[in-house]
Amino acid sequence: MEDIKLHDKTFEVYIPETEIAEIVQHLAKQINIASISRPLFIAVLNGSFLFAADVMRKITIPNSEISFIKLASYQGTKSTGSVNELIGLSQDLENRNIIILEDIIDTGNTLEKIIELFQNKKIASFKTATLLYKPKAYKKDIPIDFIGKSIPNDFVVGYGLDYDEIGRNLPHIYKLKN
Ligand code: IMP
Ligand code: MG
């Protein structure tokens, strides 16, 4: 598979789409067997739009619901540290079992911000599912319940993940080529 160029940088294939499908299937299975009743999945836009669409098709829990929030912390290939809420939650969260769907957890700043959004909402439970996780970059103590794949501290794009807003449409996940 060929390298691709986005803006000024070159990327090489890192996780081909066939492997992504296997990771997503495995993650969905873990969620399905966790016996969470009437879950409300909340996908974090923009990055998780493809992951959320694919994982939801593999969820077999009755009465599952999905909603979306939009947050942003990245500029280029570096986390800015501050996370802004761009689209908030509208529905009633009281007594709901929340499962966050994230494309990638890096420093954990976004996850911490999300947890703040759910404080004082009287939710029943809170779990986090992420397609990718960078354990060496993670700075928080918040447990991550469902992890698709742990990766090194490489910058990745594709399958929803962007480099300055482009590359989200790529079917494979690519990493920065050195
Ligand atoms: P965190 O707040 O540092 O954990 O970063 C989380 C968010 O940063 C993710 O939801 C992504 O949108 C973005 N992000 C983190 N690492 C990468 C990457 O390698 N490529 C593209 N986006 C990333
Ligand atoms: Mg994101």
Side-chain angles (χ1 to χ4, degrees):
M1 278 175 273
E2 284 186 17
D3 292 352
I4 48 134
K5 201 157 184 259
L6 299 172
H7 297 302
D8 55 330
K9 299 195 192 316
T10 306
F11 294 83
E12 61 191 355
V13 174
Y14 177 47
I15 313 173
E17 60 179 333
T18 48
E19 191 187 333
I20 297 171
E22 285 166 16
I23 294 166
V24 170
Q25 171 74 67
H26 183 75
L27 198 64
K29 210 168 166 182
Q30 285 176 260
I31 298 170
N32 286 334
I33 61 175
S35 60
I36 299 163
S37 96
R38 204 166 69 89
L40 171 56
F41 290 87
I42 295 181
V44 184
L45 296 172
N46 292 331
S48 67
F49 80 108
L50 290 179
F51 168 54
D54 286 345
V55 80
M56 287 308 285
R57 277 180 277 199
K58 306 288 180 196
I59 294 296
T60 54
I61 309 167
N63 308 312
S64 292
E65 294 178 33
I66 185 163
S67 189
F68 301 86
I69 51 173
K70 182 163 177 169
L71 300 159
S73 77
Y74 254 64
Q75 257 166 22
T77 59
K78 295 270 182 314
S79 181
T80 59
S82 69
V83 179
N84 299 310
E85 184 188 359
L86 304 173
I87 300 177
L89 284 163
S90 45
Q91 72 262 67
D92 188 9
L93 301 174
E94 201 169 326
N95 294 319
R96 296 310 306 266
N97 293 311
I98 306 295
I99 305 175
I100 296 296
L101 297 177
E102 262 283 29
D103 49 351
I104 187 163
I105 295 177
D106 185 34
T107 62
N109 288 331
T110 307
L111 182 59
E112 191 174 65
K113 173 79 183 183
I114 291 165
I115 286 170
E116 276 172 36
L117 300 177
F118 287 88
Q119 263 155 16
N120 312 318
K121 296 272 202 281
K122 298 183 181 141
I123 61 169
S125 71
F126 183 92
K127 297 224 180 294
T128 303
T130 188
L131 177 68
L132 301 175
Y133 171 52
K134 294 184 187 172
K136 290 205 178 75
Y138 194 60
K139 293 184 302 199
K140 312 291 174 188
D141 303 320
I142 309 155
I144 303 165
D145 305 278
F146 307 103
I147 295 171
K149 187 182 171 82
S150 293
I151 64 166
N153 273 357
D154 295 313
F155 186 76
V156 291
V157 294
Y159 192 68
L161 293 148
D162 70 304
Y163 169 40
D164 269 346
E165 295 306 326
I166 61 171
R168 295 192 196 276
N169 54 306
L170 297 165
H172 314 297
I173 292 170
Y174 292 74
K175 70 173 179 184
L176 196 57
K177 198 173 176 178
N178 297 305

